[in-house]
Amino acid sequence: MRPAPRKIAVMGAGSWGTTFAKVLADSGADAGIEVMIWARRDEVAAEINTRHTNSRYLRETKLPGNISSSSSTAKVLAGAELVVLAVPAQSLREQLRSFKEFLEPNAVLMSLMKGLERDTDARMSEVIFAEVEISPERIAVLSGPNLAMEIARKQPTASVVACTDIETATWIATLCSTDYFRPYTNTDVIGVEIGGIAKNVIALAVGICDGLGMGDNTKSSIITRGLAETTRLALALGGSYETLSGLAGLGDLVATCSSSLSRNNTAGRLLGQGLYLDEVNDRMSQTAEGIKSGRAVLDLATRHNVEVPITEAVVMVLEGTLSVENMGARLLGRQLKSEGELK
């Protein structure tokens, strides 16, 4: 296994990027590991360096002293043996092209992003592989129930680090293991990514139900059937059933669908309350990835002949071809089947 790195770079100073930098810094404090965050705006980097906060996203949460920040990609990436990617999914390819020349020759890259790239329908690990041209053994993903504010407050949680090389996954897991953050390892990159991607669209559906004033029976039905269609898609792509029944599948789905801290649930709720999509986007301070990735998920499922009725209905709502009031009727009006047929 690789030795502990001297420096870790986190590319992205949003709520999850900053929170995960805090996890890494807490884990690596005794080993003297430096964690450096790339912030797009100079004022965010200055606040992290002077006040040890990122108030826009994490309020007054104090960041450890071994965290620093810069708006210079070259400075942040210099000497970093682990590079954590936490930028909006739809901007990843462009960001990689802008800074890949500054990557250390043997750096490991790990994605925190839960989205599919529009137009290509590529998972984030596939975008990394295409743009940086490194071996899969140096590409990892992290997923699971990752509500940033709860983790920033050190509320216990568990997640999954996935890489085709188990030694790389284990190396990363040791770097982000704390008394409040428990990483498990997995080699099923496809299943872990699909679980994190598709659950955002299902959370939009649950949020719409919330906004319409529907009850817990309705939301429970959406979550359960949403897990079934997510599993079908993951299996069609080569993922593992066990992955989708674990933290990266069921665990992440439940957290994202049921929490008021979930961006996708919040966006869905606003849609259910009658706001137009543009109004929802204006109200959101951070990206609701399900809005961005919904069409890509549907296209991917269609290409692999996978039924995803909830995702299809959500995309129709997002694209204005189905009203939120008629979404439930569309789902309930489908042909009667045995539950076993839907797995």
Side-chain angles (χ1 to χ4, degrees), residues 55-75:
S55 55
R56 177 175 180 179
Y57 297 113
L58 298 183
R59 301 173 191 168
E60 294 306 306
T61 300
K62 287 295 182 182
L63 302 176
N66 54 330
I67 286 181
S68 60
S69 182
S70 174
S71 60
S72 166
T73 54
K75 183 176 181 180

Side-chain angles (χ1 to χ4, degrees), residues 114-127:
K114 299 177 180 180
L116 276 183
E117 187 179 50
R118 288 177 295 187
D119 298 327
T120 68
D121 303 339
R123 293 175 284 110
M124 296 297 99
S125 64
E126 293 176 312
V127 175

Side-chain angles (χ1 to χ4, degrees), residues 103-116:
L103 293 169
E104 294 295 333
N106 295 311
V108 172
L109 276 64
M110 182 170 73
S111 165
L112 300 187
M113 297 158 289
K114 299 177 180 180
L116 276 183

Side-chain angles (χ1 to χ4, degrees), residues 90-272:
Q90 304 309 323
S91 70
L92 176 61
R93 192 179 295 272
E94 178 185 356
Q95 296 286 0
L96 287 170
R97 288 173 179 174
S98 72
F99 65 63
K100 63 183 180 181
E101 65 181 295
F102 303 118
L103 293 169
E104 294 295 333
N106 295 311
V108 172
L109 276 64
M110 182 170 73
S111 165
L112 300 187
M113 297 158 289
K114 299 177 180 180
L116 276 183
E117 187 179 50
R118 288 177 295 187
D119 298 327
T120 68
D121 303 339
R123 293 175 284 110
M124 296 297 99
S125 64
E126 293 176 312
V127 175
I128 295 168
F129 181 77
E131 289 299 324
V132 185
E133 298 178 340
I134 58 177
S135 67
E137 291 78 16
R138 289 170 51 201
I139 300 173
V141 300
L142 183 140
S143 195
N146 301 140
L147 296 168
M149 186 56 73
E150 290 188 1
I151 298 171
R153 292 169 178 160
K154 297 189 175 184
Q155 295 178 5
T157 192
S159 292
V160 178
V161 177
C163 179
T164 57
D165 178 50
I166 192 63
E167 287 194 5
T168 299
T170 303
W171 178 70
I172 295 171
T174 62
L175 298 175
C176 61
S177 178
T178 71
D179 57 359
Y180 62 91
F181 191 85
R182 171 65 162 91
Y184 290 83
T185 57
N186 197 324
T187 57
D188 179 17
V189 174
I190 293 172
V192 169
E193 283 192 288
I194 291 298
I197 293 163
K199 58 92 186 182
N200 287 326
V201 186
I202 306 304
L204 285 173
V206 172
I208 289 171
C209 293
D210 274 330
L212 289 169
M214 295 182 180
D216 291 335
N217 286 339
T218 305
K219 290 180 284 186
S220 177
S221 299
I222 294 291
I223 291 171
T224 304
R225 299 319 316 157
L227 177 62
E229 68 180 59
T230 300
T231 302
R232 288 197 296 271
L233 180 57
L235 293 178
L237 295 170
S240 163
Y241 181 86
E242 288 74 19
T243 298
L244 274 297
S245 64
L247 287 163
L250 177 61
D252 200 6
L253 180 67
V254 169
T256 307
C257 288
S258 59
S259 175
S260 61
L261 296 174
S262 163
R263 286 171 273 177
N264 292 281
N265 180 281
T266 298
R269 189 166 61 253
L270 294 173
L271 288 169

